[in-house]
Amino acid sequence: MKDALKAALTKKNIIGNTLLFVGIIGYILLFGALFGQNNILIGVSTITAMLMLLERDLTIHPIANTVKFAGLNLLTGIAAFATGFSVWGAIPIHFVMMFIISYTLIFNLKNPLYLPFSLQYLFLLAIPVTAEDLPLRLTGLVVGAVSIMALQMIVNKKRISKNADPIIKSICSSLLEKMDKKVSGESGAEMDTAIRKSVGSLRSMIYDQREEDYYLTEE
């Protein structure tokens, strides 16, 4: 029974990873077909950002987040283009851009979310475009930002209700079990770690759904 279950899970993982790989390659190739080979690396950085940001639920402010990512992408595109005019002018532009990217995305310390956007900026520097091709590149950058939020709306739209409900039930069941142990004279301390972990997961989901400037205390 265990071997059959393990084989089923392995098969499911293989199919899931294969579909994910096909989706990644398909998106990159489609991006290159639409915006040219000079901009295909934008598709690479975009798909990386899409997958990394899936761990956060950004659907509570879809428009604001889309504008945020689009603005950041446009800024990197314009800055990378501007560096081609002067070597000395490029130095402060690089410094300012890396600061903006890091400052904007450093809110999450669990994953380096600044990495795909930093790589994207480096890609833009490595493959410069002319003024005639700049509008197409900027359009690709905007489409990349929209793609990030589109995947968020597909995957994370009802994430808190789907994932939080089982966690709440698990917390309540664990607390009831601990109370029963207390009543029977047992300590129940071994359950504290699991309860804290579940509460931490729930708090993380709520934190992603917070309103602007809303702070969750430890309590």
Side-chain angles (χ1 to χ4, degrees):
M1 182 67 179
K2 289 184 179 179
D3 293 338
L5 181 60
K6 185 177 180 180
L9 291 174
T10 302
K11 182 178 179 181
K12 184 177 180 181
N13 290 335
I14 292 174
I15 295 174
N17 291 333
T18 302
L19 292 175
L20 178 62
F21 177 76
V22 171
I24 291 172
I25 298 300
Y27 180 86
I28 294 173
L29 293 177
L30 178 62
F31 201 94
L34 292 174
F35 301 104
Q37 293 302 306
N38 285 339
N39 297 314
I40 194 170
L41 290 180
I42 297 175
V44 175
S45 60
T46 297
I47 199 72
T48 304
M50 290 165 68
L51 296 175
M52 291 184 69
L53 285 166
L54 276 182
E55 294 191 7
R56 287 183 56 86
D57 186 358
L58 304 176
T59 59
I60 191 171
H61 298 302
I63 296 177
N65 286 322
T66 301
V67 172
K68 175 183 177 180
F69 290 129
L72 184 61
N73 276 0
L74 286 174
L75 187 60
T76 57
I78 294 172
F81 179 75
T83 58
F85 292 102
S86 170
V87 174
W88 296 108
I91 296 175
I93 292 176
H94 295 332
F95 178 80
V96 171
M97 277 310 307
M98 294 308 295
F99 173 80
I100 291 175
I101 293 172
S102 300
Y103 180 80
T104 304
L105 300 170
I106 204 67
F107 58 83
N108 190 324
L109 298 179
K110 293 185 292 184
N111 288 316
L113 299 180
Y114 59 86
L115 182 59
F117 292 90
S118 300
L119 287 176
Q120 179 173 265
Y121 180 61
L122 295 178
F123 292 156
L124 298 178
L125 293 173
I127 308 176
V129 294
T130 62
E132 292 76 13
D133 295 329
L134 181 61
L136 182 63
R137 168 161 286 186
L138 296 180
T139 303
L141 289 167
V142 172
V143 170
V146 174
S147 299
I148 292 172
M149 285 309 302
L151 186 63
Q152 282 280 328
M153 296 303 294
I154 294 172
V155 177
N156 286 339
K157 186 168 179 60
K158 296 182 179 180
R159 176 181 176 184
I160 193 166
S161 61
K162 290 188 294 186
N163 295 344
D165 289 351
I167 292 177
I168 293 174
K169 292 177 181 178
S170 174
I171 293 172
C172 293
S173 299
S174 298
L175 289 173
L176 288 172
E177 185 179 348
K178 183 176 179 180
M179 282 188 277
D180 290 338
K181 288 189 175 184
K182 287 285 187 180
V183 171
S184 62
E186 302 178 39
S187 66
E190 70 279 1
M191 304 178 64
D192 290 345
T193 301
I195 294 173
R196 288 195 183 98
K197 185 177 180 180
S198 298
V199 172
S201 299
L202 182 62
R203 290 178 68 246
S204 179
M205 293 180 194
I206 297 173
Y207 181 77
D208 287 345
Q209 288 280 351
R210 74 195 187 286
E211 294 291 339
E212 195 68 25
D213 298 328
Y214 180 76
Y215 177 71
L216 291 175
T217 65
E218 191 67 27
E219 291 75 17

